[in-house]
Amino acid sequence: MPDLLLAGDLEAERKAMGALTDYFRAVDAASVVEVLKRADGGSPLAGALPAFDGVETKHVDPTVVLAMLIAAIRQVEWRTDLVEEVTVWPTSPVPGPDGPGAEDDPWVTGPWVSELSPLARDTLAAVRDFEVATIVAKWVQAEELHGARAEDMQPVAEELVLLARRAREAGEQLYCWMCL
């Protein structure tokens, strides 16, 4: 199984190198920030009682890999603006043009949380169940997926679609928590 999807021993997987990308739904950015402050920036999906409904993935960043899934759904070429995001964590001011001033700056170390556009949520939510296999077959052709197999990535896509549906039905937004 590719390490794009967390499986098996979660703690062992979390210790492995690579970007962890947890997608979750929440009412608004303020509620996300409140939970992150209590968890010292840790994933809101961690622990026995996750703070939010979500999907744990690995290496499925919003800008590239999720956007490639969105491109496959919309049947368009991938572009950097397919998944618009607004950063909600860290809450410190965005560094200037010279970058962060210190190596321990949260803008360097993470984690980072972004709110995804309603269009991204709605695109995922609109996928019909019978379309998923065809969409995933296109998605896994992306170079960034490093030869992932469709049968391994289909559950990831299905979970993201279901999460987006629940978010849309509840009037909530999708968020991505990412950590290296």
Side-chain angles (χ1 to χ4, degrees):
M1 175 165 295
D3 63 321
L4 288 161
L5 172 64
L6 287 175
D9 182 2
L10 182 59
E11 288 306 310
E13 287 284 343
R14 287 196 179 276
K15 292 176 183 173
M17 291 298 289
L20 301 176
T21 50
D22 294 350
Y23 288 87
F24 59 96
R25 63 187 180 106
V27 172
D28 58 24
S31 63
V32 172
V33 168
E34 181 181 317
V35 166
L36 290 168
K37 284 181 179 178
R38 286 196 313 259
D40 197 27
S43 172
L45 302 184
L49 296 171
F52 298 110
D53 173 25
V55 177
E56 296 174 322
T57 68
K58 193 171 181 184
H59 301 300
V60 182
D61 69 287
T63 306
V64 179
V65 179
L66 182 69
M68 289 179 171
L69 176 59
I70 298 290
I73 294 166
R74 293 186 191 160
Q75 300 179 12
V76 299
E77 292 293 318
W78 172 83
R79 302 183 319 267
T80 57
D81 65 346
L82 279 178
V83 177
E84 294 180 15
E85 304 172 71
V86 175
T87 302
V88 299
W89 188 272
T91 57
S92 61
V94 177
D98 295 331
E103 288 182 20
D104 64 346
D105 186 298
W107 287 94
V108 173
T109 61
W112 307 272
V113 177
S114 59
E115 180 180 306
L116 308 184
S117 70
L119 183 57
R121 177 202 62 202
D122 294 347
T123 297
L124 287 164
V127 172
R128 294 175 295 201
D129 293 342
F130 71 88
E131 297 173 315
V132 175
T134 302
I135 290 166
V136 170
K138 292 177 188 174
W139 185 35
V140 297
Q141 293 174 14
E143 182 179 324
E144 289 76 6
L145 291 178
H146 307 291
R149 299 178 324 158
E151 55 267 22
D152 294 329
M153 296 307 296
Q154 186 160 336
V156 176
E158 289 169 344
E159 287 187 51
L160 290 169
V161 165
L162 292 172
L163 178 66
R165 287 178 187 166
R166 293 189 301 271
R168 184 178 64 186
E169 289 168 8
E172 297 175 331
Q173 300 305 314
L174 287 182
Y175 294 84
C176 178
W177 175 91
M178 188 164 48
C179 184
L180 300 178

